[in-house]
Amino acid sequence: MVPRILALHDIRDSLRDSAVRQVAQVYVDEWGWHYAADWGVEGLEAMVADIEQNYCGPAGLPDCTYVALDVDGMLTGTIALLRCDLRSRPHLPPWLGCLWVRPDMRG
């Protein structure tokens, strides 16, 4: 079955909490070093708080994260529209970042 693609700000209740936590885990696992070095965000709980604060805005800029969820609500992919992805290049917005696809869904 094809995953549903949703903006994090459109997801409600426990599905949103689950999606945010899954996204945070991927971000920590894949790019934790970057978030720690550039943004001072270290660890899962700090990442959950950062996503809730900065990545769950309305579609468009400011930052917005989109997720692909399977029928069981499990994360299959992410992508984000960002104002800035590198502090050294804030003059180059917008950014398309945080692209990740679960390995078994790649192909």
Side-chain angles (χ1 to χ4, degrees):
M1 176 167 238
V2 176
R4 297 173 289 161
I5 298 175
L6 305 163
L8 278 179
H9 73 272
D10 287 336
I11 303 172
R12 298 288 175 249
D13 304 321
S14 63
L15 182 58
R16 178 189 172 123
D17 295 340
S18 173
V20 166
R21 187 157 290 277
Q22 290 179 72
V23 169
Q25 188 65 62
V26 167
Y27 287 10
V28 167
D29 292 347
E30 298 290 328
W31 308 298
W33 60 270
H34 168 69
Y35 282 96
D38 270 13
W39 306 105
V41 178
E42 293 188 55
L44 182 61
E45 295 308 316
M47 187 64 70
V48 168
D50 186 67
I51 290 170
E52 286 286 355
Q53 180 179 351
N54 297 307
Y55 292 83
C56 292
L61 298 175
D63 304 342
C64 182
T65 296
Y66 294 88
V67 296
L69 303 174
D70 67 17
V71 295
D72 297 320
M74 298 304 296
L75 186 67
T76 62
T78 70
I79 196 156
L81 181 61
L82 308 166
R83 288 170 289 178
C84 181
D85 192 36
L86 292 173
R87 285 193 178 191
S88 61
R89 296 199 172 114
H91 59 288
L92 297 174
W95 290 78
L96 191 61
C98 305
L99 173 63
W100 177 81
V101 176
R102 195 171 71 198
D104 65 308
M105 299 296 286
R106 298 173 187 171

